[in-house]
Amino acid sequence: MSTVARHGCLPALTILFVLAGAGWLASTAPAASREEFDLRGPNAAGHASAKKPGPVRWAPSHPTVPDVAVPFTASEASGTPAPWLITYADTAVSYRFQGPSAEPGIGVRRPDGTPEGRLEPRNVPKNVINFFHANTWTYGANVLSLDILSSGSQDPAGDKRGNFEGVGATEVYLIYRGVLDANSLFNTDAFALPGLVRSIGLSFGADANAKNTKFDPEKRAGTFGLNFAFDVPAGFVNLKVQGYKEFSRNGFALGRFRSVEYLMTPEFELTYSLPLTFTGLPLSVSGLNTLVLPKGRYGLTNENETQVEFVSQTNLVLDFGQITGNAPNQISAFVGLQFWHNKFGADPRRTVNTQEKALLAGMTYHLR
């Protein structure tokens, strides 16, 4: 994507992508064992451009909605491994279609008797390729996910001079997440609550994105907090309590407001992947629920306050490889629903198109 390259973001993403190999949208992954990872995220496109700039168009930067699950301690993966030993790895690629997606700031004028007319949300279909790599080692886990999102022409590509009519925008979005497991680090089981929490660990990560729109977003964000892996009979359930700090860019804003530094804010993530064994089929349900508290101001001159944001995604996953009996956990298909309230933290009273109700469908191929 040439525009991304001009942003200076693509070389770094390419290096990380090469290091990661290929990838996987793990919301499509079957919960075959406790050693499965789950990284998904709407990872929806960043900011939308607008034909006629106005305060209603501005939206804050893409929030972090990662989903990294470490459902086991490192010592459980393979007895008592040697230091720095890689105990599990997964590399895969997936495709998904999602729509109708919402892009804050993208609207359509409808006649209502006023000179400009009523501004209504405009739906945007998206095709997404995801590359994913995850591994666990003696003391924790690492996850790297790269989304390439291609919007329909309803979300036009562009640059600082204007939109490219009839051409949909493309976004590159990178997520890294890591967890250090406290029980493995200190060779103890003190960081657990028997029957409730199997493991407590430190979580940390970073986000980066670029998108070729007039808004010209360029997000850089970091997260740090605690990961609680709950004790469940099969699959996993995880809760993250962490801080979130974001720096972004507003291509419409002027002067010092072009680059935006948001406030540190709390973020809560509940993620899960559970097998549906009662169906007699290799089905599982996986999902995430993320709550992000207000992170400061956004807008042409930072005149708007961000709002409490909530995103929920639930996928039903079918393991084709297990059905054939030849290659379990290699090829899977999924359908799902994504609900996003106050997308990117945007205030619906100030910005149009801030609520998303999107259907998801796609397939995943694991290279391991």
Side-chain angles (χ1 to χ4, degrees):
M1 185 173 63
S2 61
T3 303
V4 175
R6 289 198 298 271
H7 293 166
C9 181
L10 187 56
L13 296 178
T14 303
I15 292 172
L16 289 171
F17 167 69
V18 171
L19 292 174
W24 166 53
L25 173 70
S27 59
T28 68
S33 72
R34 288 185 180 272
E35 297 182 5
E36 289 292 340
F37 277 77
D38 186 20
L39 173 77
R40 82 189 64 76
N43 289 340
H47 295 272
S49 58
K51 296 180 181 179
K52 298 179 180 179
V56 75
R57 301 288 188 171
W58 317 142
S61 297
H62 195 302
T64 303
V65 281
D67 182 10
V68 180
V70 183
F72 57 95
T73 62
S75 60
E76 289 177 310
S78 59
T80 305
W84 315 110
L85 179 67
I86 298 296
T87 58
Y88 174 85
D90 184 23
T91 301
V93 60
S94 72
Y95 162 80
R96 75 180 183 271
F97 172 83
Q98 64 182 53
S101 297
E103 282 297 321
I106 293 291
V108 179
R109 292 289 178 185
R110 304 293 187 191
D112 67 350
T114 65
E116 289 190 345
R118 181 177 65 255
L119 187 62
E120 293 183 346
R122 189 175 193 183
N123 295 328
V124 179
K126 293 183 182 180
N127 292 282
V128 187
I129 300 294
N130 177 267
F131 301 95
F132 176 90
H133 176 79
N135 64 65
T136 63
W137 57 294
T138 307
Y139 300 115
N142 297 285
V143 177
L144 192 67
S145 176
L146 176 67
D147 263 352
I148 302 174
L149 306 100
S150 179
S151 297
S153 59
Q154 300 89 339
D155 178 18
D159 57 23
K160 60 183 179 181
R161 291 176 292 275
N163 296 329
F164 305 150
E165 296 302 326
V167 179
T170 300
E171 181 186 13
V172 177
Y173 198 99
L174 178 71
I175 293 178
Y176 166 75
R177 290 294 180 269
V179 172
L180 290 176
D181 179 73
N183 284 331
S184 298
L185 280 172
F186 300 105
N187 192 26
T188 180
D189 58 1
F191 297 94
L193 299 174
L196 181 61
V197 177
R198 302 179 65 244
S199 174
I200 300 175
L202 293 176
S203 63
F204 50 91
D207 288 28
N209 92 313
K211 187 177 180 182
N212 62 339
T213 61
K214 187 176 180 181
F215 192 95
D216 191 26
E218 190 174 278
K219 170 185 174 180
R220 303 293 181 265
T223 61
F224 186 81
L226 294 176
N227 180 78
F228 300 87
F230 291 101
D231 192 0
V232 294
F236 60 82
V237 178
N238 289 266
L239 174 65
K240 288 191 185 308
V241 180
Q242 54 191 5
Y244 171 76
K245 177 70 173 181
E246 179 183 333
F247 300 84
S248 190
R249 183 165 63 189
N250 181 342
F252 291 155
L254 304 174
R256 66 187 181 90
F257 295 107
R258 180 176 174 83
S259 295
V260 180
E261 177 182 353
Y262 290 101
L263 301 175
M264 175 75 76
T265 190
E267 182 189 50
F268 306 89
E269 302 169 18
L270 179 67
T271 63
Y272 59 89
S273 183
L274 301 169
L276 303 178
T277 54
F278 64 88
T279 65
L281 297 171
L283 282 173
S284 62
V285 59
S286 62
L288 68 86
N289 292 274
T290 301
L291 183 70
V292 183
L293 298 189
K295 57 186 178 183
R297 292 177 175 270
Y298 73 99
L300 183 63
T301 57
N302 286 0
E303 71 275 19
N304 302 325
E305 292 282 355
T306 54
Q307 303 297 302
V308 173
E309 175 185 6
F310 175 73
V311 59
S312 177
Q313 184 186 103
T314 303
N315 284 353
L316 184 65
V317 184
L318 176 64
D319 186 345
F320 278 126
Q322 189 170 340
I323 289 179
T324 62
N326 296 324
N329 303 324
Q330 186 170 47
I331 300 176
S332 60
F334 62 95
V335 293
L337 176 66
Q338 180 169 292
F339 173 72
W340 204 332
H341 179 65
N342 293 339
K343 191 170 183 177
F344 310 147
D347 186 343
R349 296 167 297 182
R350 302 289 183 265
T351 304
V352 69
N353 212 2
T354 63
Q355 183 163 288
E356 180 172 286
K357 297 178 181 178
L359 296 175
L360 311 175
M363 296 194 71
T364 297
Y365 179 74
H366 295 262
L367 305 178
R368 58 181 171 84

